[in-house]
Amino acid sequence: MNWITNFVRPKINSMFGRREMPENLWIKDPISGEMVFHKDLEENQFVIPISGYHMRITGKDRLRYFFDNGSYKLIGNPQVPTDPLKFRDEKKYIDRLKDYRSRTGMDDAIINALGTIEDLPIIATVQDFAFMGGSLGMGAGEAIVKGFKTAISEKRPLVLFTASGGARMQEGILSLMQMPKTTVAVEMMKEAGLPYIVVLTNPTTGGVSASYAMLGDVHIAEPGATIGFAGARVIQQTIRETLPEGFQSAEYLKDHGMVDMVISRLKLKETIARLLRLMTKQSVHVSDMSRAKTEDHVDKTG
């Protein structure tokens, strides 16, 4: 046994050698290319401070940032058939579901929760893109309906955060049936006279944008979010025309009347709380009114 080689050198290396750093310690800004410290980014709700680029976040992070003190109560999702069509592509659908459930710790792409924002009790429904691209299948559809039914029974407004690539192909027609089912749930919410606010995040596409995502009382989008039905390339190839710059972006849709507001994630909570007070005819804080006038003035003056 060589004492210097086997003991002394490793000891010196451990003291002065290069330490392994976590892979996600720094994150690159997709717009400016600058590196951002992960901890700073997390404290800023994963909005890059310099460029304002909104990164995708998990459903649970979304709830933690949105609710007062990050406190909320989860609502269990209904049970549905796991693999109704016995579908298989590169791998069995049931195995794909097991993989995503293991990776995300979720039953499906939808999370429902009860909590408060600025002391207002609400239901929040979050679509998590990390679970099969937030695709809409039977499980997600039933969970969305459960969110609406809970909001009605609890007499609370519902805020729904969308993020999806569309219908889940592995469930075929059963996936498409979730579009009218969720639309009926929206109508039930409106008949109950309860506010329904949609926050469109990146991306919101396919059958989701053709159903509950565009049926809210107010539509808010995060900056830079892609929102549409078919992909821009498919549309361009179909109509054989060059699409306008920024087509299907949140800002483009706001300019053309499809979206009511484009709001930074950092201001979503206060904006939605102010809207809900107005919609439920509650007293609006004086600070809310002055802030709204200031923001309106900034919008008009650029």
Side-chain angles (χ1 to χ4, degrees):
M1 177 178 178
N2 190 323
W3 181 74
I4 294 178
T5 302
N6 295 338
F7 180 77
V8 176
R9 185 177 292 170
K11 194 72 174 177
I12 293 173
N13 288 340
S14 67
M15 292 173 63
F16 301 104
R18 182 178 178 180
R19 297 180 180 179
E20 292 185 5
M21 304 296 285
E23 291 183 3
N24 64 346
L25 187 62
W26 296 89
I27 293 177
K28 186 176 181 180
D29 182 349
I31 295 178
S32 68
E34 295 187 25
M35 302 302 289
V36 185
F37 191 41
H38 185 277
K39 187 176 181 181
D40 293 339
L41 192 57
E42 187 175 8
E43 290 176 354
N44 206 46
Q45 298 188 32
F46 289 93
V47 177
I48 295 178
I50 298 173
S51 66
Y53 180 83
H54 283 53
M55 302 189 70
R56 287 180 188 154
I57 57 176
T58 66
K60 291 179 180 177
D61 279 341
R62 174 81 64 181
L63 294 173
R64 178 167 58 89
Y65 292 131
F66 189 60
F67 281 123
D68 292 340
N69 303 316
S71 177
Y72 57 89
K73 180 182 178 182
L74 291 175
I75 302 169
N77 289 346
Q79 296 296 314
V80 299
T82 305
D83 184 7
L85 302 181
K86 308 299 180 193
F87 189 91
R88 178 169 188 157
D89 43 32
E90 294 177 353
K91 62 192 297 186
K92 291 181 179 179
Y93 176 45
I94 192 168
D95 292 335
R96 197 179 294 276
L97 284 174
K98 288 178 181 177
D99 181 35
Y100 276 100
R101 285 170 178 170
S102 174
R103 277 194 270 168
T104 63
M106 298 167 57
D107 294 330
D108 212 292
I110 296 294
I111 306 175
N112 289 308
L114 300 94
T116 62
I117 57 168
E118 297 189 2
D119 298 324
L120 294 170
I122 68 160
I123 303 290
T125 299
V126 178
Q127 202 159 9
D128 196 327
F129 196 81
F131 194 101
M132 294 191 71
S135 53
L136 180 63
M138 291 178 65
E142 289 291 345
I144 290 169
V145 172
K146 177 72 175 290
F148 280 112
K149 287 183 175 179
T150 305
I152 293 168
S153 64
E154 296 283 336
K155 294 182 172 57
R156 297 189 182 199
L158 187 140
V159 180
L160 195 150
F161 296 85
T162 62
S164 178
R168 189 171 299 175
M169 56 172 264
Q170 291 89 348
E171 295 186 18
I173 189 65
L174 298 174
S175 175
L176 297 178
M177 288 169 63
Q178 306 313 306
M179 294 169 62
K181 181 182 289 186
T182 53
T183 300
V184 170
V186 173
E187 289 303 313
M188 291 168 57
M189 187 78 175
K190 293 186 176 182
E191 287 175 5
L194 295 167
Y196 169 44
I197 294 178
V198 179
V199 181
L200 304 153
T201 74
N202 186 46
T204 298
T205 58
V208 169
S209 68
S211 53
Y212 57 88
M214 286 297 180
L215 296 175
D217 298 311
V218 179
H219 296 99
I220 302 172
E222 288 191 338
T226 297
I227 304 162
F229 183 70
R233 186 175 61 180
V234 173
I235 296 172
Q236 188 161 311
Q237 289 175 347
T238 302
I239 66 175
R240 301 185 184 281
E241 290 184 15
T242 301
L243 298 175
E245 185 177 352
F247 181 72
Q248 292 187 330
S249 69
E251 293 75 11
Y252 184 92
L253 266 65
K254 178 181 178 294
D255 290 342
H256 291 78
M258 291 293 292
V259 168
D260 298 305
M261 308 176 188
V262 177
I263 301 292
S264 168
R265 186 179 298 159
L266 303 176
K267 295 184 178 180
L268 271 178
K269 181 177 177 178
E270 64 185 59
T271 302
I272 291 174
R274 186 166 69 239
L275 284 170
L276 289 177
R277 289 193 187 97
L278 290 169
M279 296 168 76
T280 56
K281 300 180 180 179
Q282 297 186 36
S283 58
V284 180
H285 296 170
V286 175
S287 59
D288 285 345
M289 295 297 291
S290 60
R291 184 166 57 237
K293 289 180 181 178
T294 302
E295 290 171 357
D296 184 57
H297 176 70
V298 170
D299 286 342
K300 289 178 180 177
T301 57

